[in-house]
Amino acid sequence: GEYYQWQQSLAGQGDQVFYGVNGGGGGEYSLLYVQNNADHSNKLAYRRSPKGYAHFNGVSVGGGGLAQAEQMGKDSFRGFAPGEIEAFWQEKGLTTPVLTGGISVSESMEFEPLYPDAALSQEEAQRIAGDLLAELGLRDFVLDEGGLYTELVDMQNYGSAEKAVYARYYILHYRRQIEGVTLSQFSGEKYADNRDQGGRFNKQFWPGELIELRVNDSGIVGFDYHAPLEITETVVEGAALKTFEDVKSTFEKMLPVTLAQTEESRIAAIDRVRLSYSRISEKDSFDTGLIVPVWSFEGSVDFYYNQDNGEKSYSDTQTGVLLAVNAIDGSIIDGRQGY
């Protein structure tokens, strides 16, 4: 853990970070990252790589979904028009969709592969992933989303030239299932960013539980278990749930209110509504909460700045849960607050 001093600087009393790489015998490295952190959650990550580095997404764990990761990839193209992004990847010989992992992309950037591109089918990749989960005893998890992605995994500078290392493999997201219902947690992530009296920031994260696997023709090359949960008791048996018709009026009333909280103009589109479980937090306790049924309204929001001449200028698009309604009491859940 001493190798990355900035990671250690985020650790408090009792927090632990371990990062280990083997000697690369046989031309292949195994990399293990373990994190136990009261403010940034817990994580176990593994990579198998022909080079001695891995993309672990830093100390704070994540898991907002692949759609959100794709959007973050597009956000890395500052100065590119939307239609130019696809042409850029085609010119560089990379197959979309591409996840940039926060690496800023420039026109002069060159790319080299970490592994040979995956050629197996998604069905075969899911079988390999399912066999591993069964072997690890993680039998309550089901595939929530996944597909074949190109991911930028490292950035290297050679003088004035920039080179990004990429991998083309299947990325598969598995989430816990309870009595046949998925614990999606898209509306239950918790984030706190508070300034104390000394002027310091106190940042805390409790993202949703997620198992993320990376699979190519050689098998499992990446395994991440984000924010594992321990479910300790059942509080209510057989709770009555509000139907879609019950919560539809709440959505229609509250979404415009939610979108109108800034001076920007926003245009929202809902493309999915689903009933699933979500973890919501207790207001006065950071690391405990309840798993409740939630109606989530998912889609995208386009942001426009209002110019002085009255015209609108496009600035950004965000995807994910636009509004979440507790299916038991009809209350609105704030994903950033976690309750």
Side-chain angles (χ1 to χ4, degrees):
E2 297 175 356
Y3 184 76
Y4 288 115
Q5 294 183 7
W6 66 273
Q7 289 182 343
Q8 289 295 85
S9 71
L10 291 176
Q13 184 176 1
D15 293 332
Q16 299 172 325
V17 172
F18 172 84
Y19 178 77
V21 185
N22 72 353
E28 188 170 75
Y29 292 87
S30 292
L31 305 94
L32 181 66
Y33 177 88
V34 184
Q35 170 186 311
N36 296 309
N37 190 291
D39 290 341
H40 295 82
S41 197
N42 304 331
K43 177 177 180 177
L44 171 67
Y46 163 82
R47 293 291 185 276
R48 183 160 56 87
S49 166
K51 299 183 179 181
Y53 53 77
H55 185 51
F56 284 134
N57 295 321
V59 169
S60 61
V61 301
L66 289 170
Q68 181 179 354
E70 286 186 56
Q71 183 59 48
M72 290 175 63
K74 295 175 183 177
D75 292 343
S76 299
F77 282 81
R78 298 303 181 186
F80 283 72
E84 295 175 344
I85 299 176
E86 191 80 22
F88 173 84
W89 292 128
Q90 186 175 1
E91 176 189 346
K92 297 296 184 179
L94 272 65
T95 307
T96 55
V98 179
L99 308 181
T100 63
I103 295 176
S104 295
V105 179
S106 65
E107 293 186 11
S108 61
M109 186 178 288
E110 299 298 326
F111 301 88
E112 69 175 33
L114 179 61
Y115 317 99
D117 288 356
L120 76 169
S121 67
Q122 180 161 340
E123 181 180 0
E124 179 64 12
Q126 291 175 198
R127 184 195 64 77
I128 294 172
D131 288 346
L132 174 65
L133 295 180
E135 185 177 349
L136 296 175
L138 300 170
R139 300 181 183 276
D140 294 334
F141 289 80
V142 296
L143 181 69
D144 184 63
E145 60 178 348
L148 188 59
Y149 286 85
T150 301
E151 183 178 36
L152 305 189
V153 297
D154 190 60
M155 183 70 186
Q156 300 174 353
N157 294 312
Y158 299 100
S160 59
E162 293 182 325
K163 180 178 288 187
V165 180
Y166 72 90
R168 180 72 175 167
Y169 40 39
Y170 288 94
I171 301 179
L172 306 174
H173 283 184
Y174 288 80
R175 299 186 186 272
R176 187 186 297 266
Q177 192 174 77
I178 303 170
E179 297 179 350
V181 180
T182 303
L183 177 56
S184 68
Q185 297 185 251
F186 288 130
S187 58
E189 296 191 2
K190 185 171 188 176
Y191 172 80
D193 188 348
N194 304 310
R195 188 185 294 272
D196 63 20
Q197 293 181 351
R200 297 169 298 183
F201 280 109
N202 173 33
K203 294 188 176 182
Q204 296 177 305
F205 303 88
W206 190 12
E209 183 182 43
L210 171 71
I211 295 177
E212 184 175 62
L213 292 112
R214 289 162 171 81
V215 187
N216 65 13
D217 292 11
S218 68
I220 303 290
V221 295
F223 174 89
D224 295 66
Y225 193 168
H226 298 269
L229 285 177
E230 179 185 11
I231 300 176
T232 58
E233 63 177 315
T234 299
V235 179
V236 177
E237 293 276 7
L241 302 184
K242 292 186 177 297
T243 66
F244 173 74
E245 292 300 324
D246 293 332
V247 300
K248 181 181 177 182
S249 60
T250 302
F251 162 77
E252 293 172 342
K253 176 182 177 181
M254 294 304 300
L255 184 63
V257 174
T258 303
L259 296 180
Q261 292 178 354
T262 70
E263 295 181 356
E264 297 173 314
S265 296
R266 304 184 183 189
I267 298 177
I270 301 295
D271 54 32
R272 183 180 188 184
V273 180
R274 62 172 164 174
L275 177 66
S276 61
Y277 277 121
S278 181
R279 185 212 68 228
I280 62 173
S281 303
E282 294 179 300
K283 185 175 182 179
D284 298 322
S285 176
F286 182 77
D287 58 356
T288 61
L290 295 171
I291 294 173
V292 299
V294 167
W295 284 102
S296 60
F297 295 80
E298 304 169 20
S300 62
V301 180
D302 293 331
F303 294 80
Y304 296 86
Y305 286 108
N306 298 318
Q307 301 182 24
D308 294 337
N309 61 7
E311 296 183 358
K312 292 181 173 60
S313 178
Y314 170 80
S315 63
D316 194 14
T317 298
Q318 293 182 4
T319 61
V321 175
L322 306 191
L323 193 74
V325 182
N326 188 319
I328 295 179
D329 62 14
S331 60
I332 303 298
I333 298 173
D334 186 330
R336 287 177 63 83
Q337 296 292 333
Y339 54 84

